[in-house]
Amino acid sequence: MSAVVAEHEHDHEHDHHDHGPAKGILRWIITTNHKDIGTLYLLFALVMFFVGGAMAMVIRAELFEPGMQFVEPQFFNSMTTMHALVMVFGAVMPAFVGLANWMIPMMIGAPDMALPRMNNMSFWMLVAGVLLLASTLFMEGGAPASGWTLYPPLVLQTGKALPFAVFSVHLLGVSSIMGAINIIATIFNMRAPGMTLMKMPLFVWTWLITGFLLVAIMPVFAGAVTMLLTDRFFDTSFFDAAGGGDPVLYQHIFWFFGHPEVYVMILPTFGVASTIIPVFARKPLFGYSSMVYATAAIAFLSFIVWAHHMFTVGLPMAGELYFMYATMLIAIPTGVKVFNWTATMWKGSMTFETPMLFSIAFVVLFTMGGLTGLMMSVAPLDFQYHDTYFIVAHFHYTLVPASVFILMAAGYYWLPKWTGHMYDEKIGKLHFWLSAVSVNILFFPQHFLGLAGMPRRIPDYAVQFADWNMISSIGGFIFGASQLLFLYIVIHTIKGGTGEKVTDEVWEDAAKHGLEWTLPSPPPYHSFTTPPTIIPTEHI
Amino acid sequence: MHLCVCRYASHVSVNSNVEQKNSRLALKLLLVVLGMTGFGFALIPLYDVLCELTGINGKVGTRVDSSTLNYVVDKERNLGLDLVTSLGKATPLIVETETKSLQIHPGQFYVVNYRVHNQADKALTIRAVPSVAPGVAAADFKIIECFCFEPLRLEAGEAKNLPLRFVVNPGIAQQSNHLALAITFLNTNKD
Amino acid sequence: MKKTKQLIACLTLMAIGLGSAHADYALNLMQGVTQVSNDLYDLHMLILWICVFIGAGVFGVMFYSIYHHRKSKGHVAEQFHENTTIEIIWTIIPTLILIGMAIPATKAMLELDDVKEAQMSIKVTGWQWKWEYEYLDNGIHFFSSLDEASNKARQVGSGVDPRSVPHYLLNVDKPLVVPVKTKIRFLYTAADVIHSWWVPDLGWKKDAIPGYVNEAWTSVDKPGTYRGQCTELCGKDHAFMPIVVIAMEKPDYDAWVKKTKDELAKANDVSDLSHDELVAKGAEVYAKNCSSCHLPGGEGVPGAFPAISGSALVNGDINAQANLILNGKGMMPAFGKMLNATELAQVITYTRNALGNKKGDEIQPKAIQALQGGTAVVESKAAEAPKEAAKVDVKAKLSKDELLAKGKEVYAASCASCHQADGAGMAGTFPAITGSKLVTGDIKNQVALMSNGKGMMPAFGTMLNPVDFAAVVTYTRNALGNKVGDMIQPADVQPLLAKK
């Protein structure tokens, strides 16, 4: 226990600051509290998950059968574009920022985030950005329909929506950057005494690295879309061959952002999995330091592999080979992670509550997504795989049963802590099994479609692709419907859940694994007002 | 419990210290953000340099001063060269080359003539964009004189003969034995 | 009922195991019909099996653990962690596997890139939403777009069952025809946005990028019809610009080349058609070329594609409309290059007399041709030069001033870009005209050199008509600082010009 705390004891007569939250709706608008903002982020992400999901349902409904049944091709393209943008920038990223807001101060023994006012601003900018993006759906010429990658020259054909989409990306970028700065500052400056970097839970570590990724890449993306804007409205020709520009240059800049961006979504996923698996295996994580180094290695590699998204644009031979070899290297640290999780389970004493089920499904299905990723890292093979449903299957395996499943796992794992109520385990397990089975019915056949020659981003297809598309759509509908169970569980748990009073630890011996389990359930409005004295190191 | 909150939050000595550290770190990270924004834009010239070195997309560089080239004509090697032309969308031109393909020796200077005829009843500003396949050969394809370096203005119905002078570096890789010079004519009128 | 049956069939298929491959249910990469596609197939299978093997190993261990090491079975957790030996092993083994994969991958990449010694070249241009093919060796040139039957069936609410359309969405009006066992080089570019040309049976795809050229090659082993699609999102009708490649034995291919050339020549027929004929044929041209943007009913898409119905342009001056269609504007392509004069006349007449417009007038193919500067579209390149020559009156005697005035124009258009406007040339590259020994010497030598070319100097005998030729010769000898004082008439030049 430090001298700092001892000093505190003398100050009894200072003016009082807020004791608790403000009342009513204003609490949520002006809040600077990490838990309130975390809750806002998580709920916003959940809403956006359903908005993006609804768009996915439109896509799967149109693809249920060959022929055009429901929507015009242009609207279909808007749907694929908006589905991706909403899911990436509206659902998955904010959900992880929400988790970071809630959990990082509690995990490192801090009272709150480092920059609370900025925290509030970054959330509301996110809302503004996403609403602005959504508003483009109702504009003349429709929402952007050029894919989430916004490749020129196609994106320059967008109707009235282009400047709005660009400004919304600016807002989302600024919001992410502020969130990342806040998280980095919190981790560097707000740790409790004794919480050294190498004792931090892996979730904190992965977010630290993710924060740096965001700070490095979001400005580049914002710059790229700004160039699109000036190309369209101010007569520049960054990407226009007619003015000496090059459309492929945009792809280079985009993927310089875009590849680290996909790791922004997967690194915190790794962090949560590494937090949950040891608790339910009742064992320390097998290799804590190798997990930290592997995360850093993956983050570093993400900056030097971008052109593997562009093998077919006509790179010189040396470029093709370099990006192939560099991409293959990613398999090594990723393999280390998968082996680590497996070794953590090995000879443990496992129980299979819903968070653990989702985490195990994550390890298995993410590995499958990783293996197809290894296949497409082979440049010559990518000349067949590129821009087909094989790619769609690959990245959905690394995003849905990986990032989304882990977000579900995190929800089940921490909901009792957040609310002080226990969720209904039976419905949780039902949700898991429905999701795990349907997600495979949804995405596994897409491997076959891609290999058989079905391009991605098409609203209609040749009849030989009909059967697998129908199966995939059925899986999609079941998966979509199953998520309503999660919505039910969240509401039900907030309202009191099973009625069973949860302990501070919630899960057996969880306090050995993380500081958050030493706080009451639900935790006080300000987490650690005095720094904790004992740092749990079981996770190490 | 609440008492603790107040004490922590109001304890000036500790708090201001951490707050100062926080804002200093935030400022530093903001500088990184600014730096990365600059880097994003710096990628444009960087890319051009890289393209010229490696020939990404077969991008042909700018005008080459022929007096700087000390090439010896390699009579032993015959390279095929296809002269292809393309028109962009909404580009009402007829473009012809005096020949569609020729055999060339590396190191030898050549001129080929393009005849461009504006079919429209109004003046057009055209941009001709050269590109070489295979991409790796682009760095060895030296264009000395070309109508593609500046915008090209054609009056209504005007036809022009436009010469293009080039030389291929005798050091060109052995596997590049059949080149294509593609010139795309793009209408820059934005109406 | 049929759909329910299909649904049941699908589910049954799933139930009996996803691995049960059936001919109709393609599961794997196709082997294709080229050496490259076969090599890539083998590589794909190799890496697939490596992945299956790794996956089976990892999941095997995990599921063993999940089954045996559970609390409900009374298993007590062992608290081991960190083991440097095992961590080194599981870093090194994957590294070795990766090296093992990289070697065949590099070989395949080199093979894919080896375009040299191609026997013929085809230039492919991507358009929204069709492909343009140009055979560089024989001049055949055409556009290839989605076939009529698929195009009808694919409209929202068409009521046509796609299953009743042969090769739904994978059929085109004019396929690309190539000979077998011939190394073909493809050059890719695009006119508007980025497209990507993919025929899985050939083994690769390549992006077509506006302003840039990419290359790839193939050599098809087996005659047959191979189908593919655009694989880079290129807008609204990205799904509807398929590729069909027909590979033929050499003699069949040669016959096709001959037939196609004859057909292309015929397309230049510009005889008049009746009003009804124009409108009726125009409807087909409209459906194929205009309806995807301006919609089949001509109502357009607000904010993106203007309506045809009630359009001021369509109901205004017919020549203004024709000019816009010929020359394009903004996103509207210049159709002067894509359609022949007859088709243009048909579609213009159609739009003015259908789709809610009742203008009542018409335009004939000849009038279109006049608007295009008297040049036929498809074969314009060959047709233009002789036509111009025919217009020129070689017998005319021109005064020196006339020759000088004409010569000044010709010089500016044909010579000034090298020899400079003032005749000073460029030291070391282009000789000066001013004070040149040749220009101030025997006029016949100058005519011969200009006519036949020399080194970098092109042979202008084939590029200029005798009048222009005589004019520019006279001009160079009496201007640009030269004062020889003589002149030459077209009639005297003609016999000296190089034979065409």
Side-chain angles (χ1 to χ4, degrees):
Chain A
M1 208 33 199
S2 66
V4 180
V5 180
E7 261 176 65
H8 283 204
E9 316 287 341
H10 304 293
D11 292 300
H12 291 278
E13 272 103 303
H14 274 284
D15 288 342
H16 278 207
H17 285 230
D18 291 332
H19 283 220
K23 296 284 174 277
I25 187 79
L26 205 61
R27 161 180 175 183
W28 298 103
I29 294 172
I30 60 164
T31 184
T32 56
N33 177 277
H34 77 100
K35 297 194 186 70
D36 285 353
I37 294 176
T39 306
L40 286 172
Y41 264 111
L42 288 169
L43 290 179
F44 182 76
L46 190 62
V47 172
M48 284 304 134
F49 177 62
F50 283 101
V51 171
M55 293 170 178
M57 292 301 109
V58 173
I59 293 167
R60 282 318 324 170
E62 182 55 62
L63 293 173
F64 187 72
E65 271 199 301
M68 299 295 296
Q69 287 85 23
F70 306 108
V71 295
E72 290 291 338
Q74 182 73 6
F75 185 73
F76 181 92
N77 292 344
S78 287
M79 281 294 106
T80 53
T81 306
M82 296 292 278
H83 163 70
L85 290 171
V86 166
M87 285 303 199
V88 170
F89 294 104
V92 176
M93 283 172 66
F96 278 117
V97 178
L99 285 183
N101 260 296
W102 250 104
M103 301 318 302
I104 288 176
M106 283 161 68
M107 283 176 157
I108 62 173
D112 204 315
M113 295 294 280
L115 305 156
R117 281 181 297 274
M118 197 161 94
N119 208 4
N120 173 288
M121 196 158 106
S122 89
F123 172 74
W124 289 109
M125 279 183 109
L126 166 76
V127 176
V130 172
L131 288 182
L132 191 58
L133 186 65
S135 72
T136 62
L137 275 169
F138 307 100
M139 287 177 188
E140 207 178 300
S146 54
W148 80 287
T149 53
L150 308 174
Y151 279 2
L154 182 61
V155 72
L156 301 176
Q157 294 181 355
T158 308
K160 297 262 189 295
L162 184 70
F164 297 94
V166 168
F167 288 139
S168 103
V169 168
H170 285 156
L171 283 172
L172 296 172
V174 173
S175 162
S176 299
I177 289 169
M178 292 199 304
I181 289 178
N182 201 357
I183 287 166
I184 295 171
T186 307
I187 297 172
F188 275 150
N189 295 342
M190 307 289 281
R191 275 171 291 131
M195 177 62 82
T196 60
L197 286 176
M198 288 310 273
K199 282 184 185 162
M200 296 194 308
L202 264 170
F203 177 67
V204 182
W205 252 116
T206 51
W207 244 118
L208 179 62
I209 292 166
T210 304
F212 279 109
L213 284 185
L214 280 171
V215 167
I217 60 170
M218 289 314 288
V220 177
F221 185 38
V225 294
T226 308
M227 292 180 221
L228 290 178
L229 196 70
T230 60
D231 266 13
R232 164 86 174 255
F233 293 104
F234 302 106
D235 276 339
T236 59
S237 339
F238 290 108
F239 310 126
D240 181 4
D246 184 346
V248 174
L249 168 59
Y250 174 85
Q251 302 185 16
H252 283 287
I253 303 179
F254 179 86
W255 287 113
F256 181 84
F257 146 81
H259 198 75
E261 167 65 22
V262 300
Y263 289 3
V264 163
M265 293 185 279
I266 205 69
L267 294 185
T269 307
F270 292 163
V272 177
S274 307
T275 306
I276 293 178
I277 292 172
V279 171
F280 294 94
R282 290 169 182 76
K283 264 184 70 191
L285 188 67
F286 178 79
Y288 173 86
S289 43
S290 68
M291 281 298 225
V292 173
Y293 300 138
T295 309
I298 293 173
F300 170 74
L301 287 172
S302 76
F303 281 106
I304 57 165
V305 296
W306 74 88
H308 67 215
H309 297 269
M310 307 163 53
F311 279 141
T312 63
V313 301
L315 298 175
M317 192 61 194
E320 304 265 6
L321 292 178
Y322 160 75
F323 284 107
M324 170 167 79
Y325 300 146
T327 306
M328 284 175 150
L329 284 182
I330 300 175
I332 297 170
T334 315
V336 165
K337 289 199 161 275
V338 173
F339 299 144
N340 255 307
W341 291 317
T342 311
T344 305
M345 291 184 219
W346 186 253
K347 299 212 164 163
S349 175
M350 275 186 274
T351 52
F352 302 95
E353 289 86 347
T354 313
M356 183 62 164
L357 288 175
F358 271 109
S359 299
I360 291 173
F362 152 75
V363 178
V364 174
L365 299 176
F366 170 76
T367 304
M368 278 170 55
L371 290 171
T372 49
L374 183 61
M375 292 172 75
M376 58 192 62
S377 75
V378 176
L381 289 180
D382 194 62
F383 279 77
Q384 286 280 36
Y385 305 148
H386 182 68
D387 266 343
T388 66
Y389 257 83
F390 193 71
I391 306 286
V392 177
H394 157 73
F395 68 72
H396 278 101
Y397 262 89
T398 59
L399 278 173
V400 183
S403 294
V404 172
F405 269 26
I406 278 298
L407 284 166
M408 301 289 174
Y412 286 106
Y413 182 59
W414 282 311
L415 255 182
K417 167 59 60 187
W418 296 336
T419 60
H421 309 301
M422 196 62 199
Y423 64 86
D424 188 327
E425 187 69 53
K426 262 199 194 126
I427 304 182
K429 283 197 169 133
L430 178 68
H431 171 223
F432 167 75
W433 284 109
L434 280 173
S435 300
V437 172
S438 61
V439 87
N440 284 295
I441 302 176
L442 166 55
F443 294 120
F444 205 81
Q446 296 184 356
H447 291 116
F448 304 144
L449 286 170
L451 292 175
M454 179 168 161
R456 68 190 280 203
R457 291 168 171 158
I458 56 173
D460 194 6
Y461 46 81
V463 289
Q464 72 254 38
F465 306 130
D467 301 303
W468 290 120
N469 267 301
M470 188 179 279
I471 293 169
S472 177
S473 287
I474 293 168
F477 301 144
I478 302 174
F479 183 77
S482 319
Q483 302 322 306
L484 296 172
L485 281 177
F486 184 68
L487 185 65
Y488 166 77
I489 287 171
V490 171
I491 295 168
H492 179 249
T493 312
I494 291 172
K495 284 188 162 174
T498 55
E500 174 193 346
K501 178 73 195 127
V502 294
T503 60
D504 291 357
E505 265 194 334
V506 183
W507 312 106
E508 188 183 331
D509 284 339
K512 286 205 287 186
H513 294 268
L515 268 179
E516 72 266 34
W517 306 109
T518 62
L519 288 170
S521 307
Y525 198 55
H526 291 270
S527 297
F528 287 94
T529 49
T530 51
T533 47
I534 301 158
I535 306 298
T537 50
E538 183 74 357
H539 61 272
I540 295 175
Chain B
M1 195 69 222
H2 279 165
L3 208 60
C4 298
V5 175
C6 305
R7 268 190 279 133
Y8 192 91
S10 60
H11 200 280
V12 180
S13 65
V14 172
N15 220 10
S16 68
N17 191 16
V18 174
E19 247 173 40
Q20 217 175 18
K21 264 174 79 184
N22 284 341
S23 21
R24 214 175 298 142
L25 183 58
L27 213 68
K28 273 186 210 157
L29 290 168
L30 216 63
L31 286 179
V32 177
V33 170
L34 286 179
M36 288 311 289
T37 313
F39 175 75
F41 283 90
L43 281 173
I44 312 268
L46 274 176
Y47 176 76
D48 279 340
V49 172
L50 217 74
C51 284
E52 274 183 49
L53 291 177
T54 62
I56 292 171
N57 279 343
K59 200 169 184 170
V60 200
T62 40
R63 192 190 307 264
V64 177
D65 182 358
S66 59
S67 62
T68 61
L69 303 173
N70 288 314
Y71 290 160
V72 179
V73 180
D74 183 353
K75 293 268 186 205
E76 300 299 303
R77 268 187 88 184
N78 273 304
L79 307 179
L81 175 67
D82 289 324
L83 301 170
V84 291
T85 56
S86 309
L87 300 178
K89 215 168 197 180
T91 308
L93 298 179
I94 289 180
V95 177
E96 293 158 42
T97 52
E98 57 181 317
T99 173
K100 290 201 161 188
S101 64
L102 59 164
Q103 291 288 315
I104 57 170
H105 300 302
Q108 172 95 54
F109 288 82
Y110 294 90
V111 171
V112 285
N113 285 281
Y114 287 72
R115 187 177 164 83
V116 181
H117 186 179
N118 181 1
Q119 300 282 294
D121 55 359
K122 59 179 176 188
L124 295 177
T125 305
I126 300 293
R127 187 86 201 205
V129 184
S131 176
V132 168
V136 279
D140 294 314
F141 198 96
K142 310 286 186 192
I143 298 184
I144 288 142
E145 194 53 57
C146 182
F147 46 91
C148 46
F149 295 133
E150 289 94 28
L152 184 65
R153 193 177 157 81
L154 289 169
E155 299 305 325
E158 186 187 6
K160 262 187 185 167
N161 282 323
L162 303 163
L164 183 146
R165 184 165 185 250
F166 67 90
V167 60
V168 172
N169 183 353
I172 189 169
Q174 281 300 324
Q175 81 226 29
S176 303
N177 61 3
H178 195 169
L179 314 180
L181 173 65
I183 298 193
T184 309
F185 293 80
L186 298 160
N187 185 359
T188 62
N189 294 32
K190 281 201 175 167
D191 44 3
Chain C
M1 193 59 210
K2 200 177 141 214
K3 282 173 194 165
T4 326
K5 267 190 194 159
Q6 272 166 10
L7 198 72
I8 294 166
C10 290
L11 292 171
T12 321
L13 184 82
M14 265 167 44
I16 59 171
L18 294 171
S20 60
H22 184 279
D24 290 331
Y25 304 100
L27 296 172
N28 201 355
L29 198 64
M30 42 196 91
Q31 257 178 297
V33 289
T34 65
Q35 188 60 44
V36 168
S37 71
N38 276 283
D39 291 348
L40 289 186
Y41 175 82
D42 293 340
L43 183 62
H44 162 77
M45 288 316 288
L46 171 76
I47 292 177
L48 180 65
W49 281 117
I50 292 175
C51 287
V52 168
F53 178 76
I54 297 172
V58 175
F59 301 152
V61 172
M62 199 184 300
F63 287 120
Y64 178 89
S65 173
I66 287 171
Y67 187 75
H68 291 283
H69 307 149
R70 52 165 101 201
K71 201 182 172 196
S72 57
K73 284 188 130 193
H75 195 272
V76 181
E78 290 181 24
Q79 296 299 310
F80 66 87
H81 62 107
E82 311 257 339
N83 180 323
T84 314
T85 321
I86 196 159
E87 288 178 68
I88 288 174
I89 291 173
W90 73 34
T91 310
I92 287 181
I93 291 181
T95 311
L96 294 177
I97 295 175
L98 288 178
I99 293 171
M101 283 166 56
I103 294 165
T106 306
K107 258 167 61 190
M109 195 62 233
L110 290 168
E111 185 190 6
L112 205 53
D113 197 50
D114 180 20
V115 189
K116 66 172 184 280
E117 268 133 44
Q119 291 153 278
M120 61 182 276
S121 299
I122 298 173
K123 179 178 158 239
V124 182
T125 309
W127 293 76
Q128 280 174 323
W129 294 274
K130 61 190 104 181
W131 294 100
E132 178 189 6
Y133 298 109
E134 193 179 338
Y135 291 66
L136 295 188
D137 307 85
N138 58 28
I140 291 179
H141 169 218
F142 57 88
F143 284 85
S144 172
S145 40
L146 186 67
D147 72 315
E148 283 289 328
S150 294
N151 197 29
K152 269 197 192 122
R154 66 105 173 167
Q155 304 298 333
V156 177
S158 68
V160 182
D161 182 3
R163 289 178 180 81
S164 68
V165 179
H167 303 292
Y168 177 60
L169 296 187
L170 292 179
N171 214 4
V172 295
D173 54 353
K174 287 181 205 140
L176 178 70
V177 178
V178 297
V180 293
K181 300 193 177 73
T182 306
K183 187 161 182 176
I184 304 162
R185 178 177 70 147
F186 289 97
L187 294 171
Y188 291 98
T189 188
D192 33 46
V193 301
I194 303 172
H195 302 265
S196 190
W197 196 88
W198 184 38
V199 176
D201 278 310
L202 303 187
W204 44 263
K205 60 179 67 70
K206 200 81 183 185
D207 289 2
I209 301 164
Y212 295 87
V213 65
N214 261 330
E215 63 174 8
W217 70 276
T218 197
S219 174
V220 183
D221 293 335
K222 230 170 56 185
T225 304
Y226 308 108
R227 297 170 197 276
Q229 282 179 270
C230 176
T231 48
E232 179 68 52
L233 178 60
C234 57
K236 192 164 84 57
D237 286 353
H238 164 56
F240 309 111
M241 49 183 290
I243 299 151
V244 178
V245 176
I246 296 182
M248 290 179 176
E249 296 288 359
K250 266 278 174 46
D252 297 338
Y253 171 75
D254 291 338
W256 175 85
V257 169
K258 195 176 170 304
K259 196 182 107 212
T260 310
K261 279 187 163 172
D262 290 349
E263 276 170 12
L264 286 175
K266 253 186 241 150
N268 287 328
D269 177 21
V270 286
S271 36
D272 284 0
L273 297 165
S274 77
H275 184 83
D276 292 345
E277 245 179 318
L278 284 170
V279 174
K281 290 269 173 58
E284 288 169 29
V285 180
Y286 181 86
K288 207 172 124 189
N289 296 287
C290 320
S291 67
S292 61
C293 292
H294 297 290
L295 301 191
E299 61 269 35
V301 178
F305 307 112
I308 303 290
S309 315
S311 150
L313 184 83
V314 178
N315 291 293
D317 177 29
I318 198 163
N319 286 339
Q321 185 196 355
N323 269 321
L324 183 114
I325 292 172
L326 286 170
N327 303 331
K329 182 178 170 187
M331 271 184 71
M332 168 97 172
F335 277 100
K337 185 174 175 249
M338 289 189 231
L339 301 177
N340 63 42
T342 308
E343 289 169 320
L344 285 163
Q346 288 164 345
V347 77
I348 291 168
T349 309
Y350 170 75
T351 55
R352 299 174 77 84
N353 298 289
L355 305 171
N357 299 326
K358 292 194 184 85
K359 196 71 177 135
D361 58 358
E362 64 183 44
I363 191 166
Q364 289 293 346
K366 281 210 183 77
I368 296 282
Q369 214 176 37
L371 287 173
Q372 286 177 303
T375 53
V377 185
V378 181
E379 292 292 309
S380 60
K381 293 169 190 188
E384 192 183 37
K387 254 187 202 144
E388 267 189 15
K391 270 191 274 173
V392 171
D393 181 7
V394 182
K395 303 254 161 57
K397 277 257 176 198
L398 296 158
S399 74
K400 190 167 173 183
D401 285 344
E402 278 173 323
L403 282 172
L404 283 175
K406 181 104 183 132
K408 192 173 179 186
E409 283 172 31
V410 178
Y411 182 85
S414 303
C415 318
S417 51
C418 292
H419 296 291
Q420 304 302 306
D422 59 358
M426 282 172 81
T429 315
F430 304 114
I433 304 290
T434 312
S436 151
K437 270 190 195 148
L438 184 83
V439 178
T440 53
D442 186 350
I443 199 163
K444 286 205 171 129
N445 289 344
Q446 187 190 353
V447 171
L449 181 118
M450 283 172 59
S451 172
N452 301 321
K454 181 182 167 188
M456 282 159 40
M457 171 91 172
F460 280 100
T462 56
M463 295 170 70
L464 296 176
N465 65 51
V467 177
D468 288 350
F469 200 101
V472 78
V473 172
T474 307
Y475 175 74
T476 54
R477 299 176 76 85
N478 296 289
L480 306 169
N482 297 329
K483 291 193 181 87
V484 186
D486 58 358
M487 56 188 271
I488 191 162
Q489 289 293 341
D492 301 328
V493 167
Q494 204 181 21
L496 301 173
L497 291 186
K499 282 192 185 104
K500 291 195 179 173

